[in-house]
Amino acid sequence: MTAKVTLSFSDETIADARRFAKREGLSLSAWMDQAAREKALREVFAAHAAAVSQAGLDLESASLADAQEVGMVDDVLFGGRPRAA
């Protein structure tokens, strides 16, 4: 479903949006919908990252440790040779 709304933008913002929409082969409405959706997702992901950080979780370090462990297992199993695809 599509909702029709009236919005006001600065001349500069609407000119940029029209230019970007044209460059991407989208209508202005479709481009603005996509831009708003992307902004909303960034806000959700930023809030999630803040919650993870506040909880004291270090997911990056855990991920790097997992990658290192996979590499060590590969070395044992494949003797440093690349895995077969």
Side-chain angles (χ1 to χ4, degrees):
M1 182 181 278
T2 301
K4 295 232 178 224
V5 297
T6 301
L7 302 170
S8 298
F9 298 98
S10 70
D11 291 337
E12 182 181 349
T13 298
I14 201 68
D16 288 344
R18 284 186 172 124
R19 186 174 70 254
F20 295 139
K22 183 176 180 179
R23 182 182 71 192
E24 295 179 26
L26 297 172
S27 68
L28 178 60
S29 292
W31 190 88
M32 294 295 264
D33 182 69
Q34 180 179 318
R37 183 175 309 279
E38 289 173 2
K39 172 66 173 169
L41 287 173
R42 282 193 304 274
E43 292 291 327
V44 168
F45 290 135
H48 178 263
V52 166
S53 177
Q54 189 174 25
L57 301 175
D58 188 357
L59 299 179
E60 184 176 1
S61 292
S63 178
L64 291 172
D66 287 347
Q68 184 178 14
E69 186 175 333
V70 167
M72 290 169 28
V73 170
D74 281 354
D75 286 345
V76 170
L77 293 176
F78 304 107
R81 297 183 313 273
R83 287 190 213 191

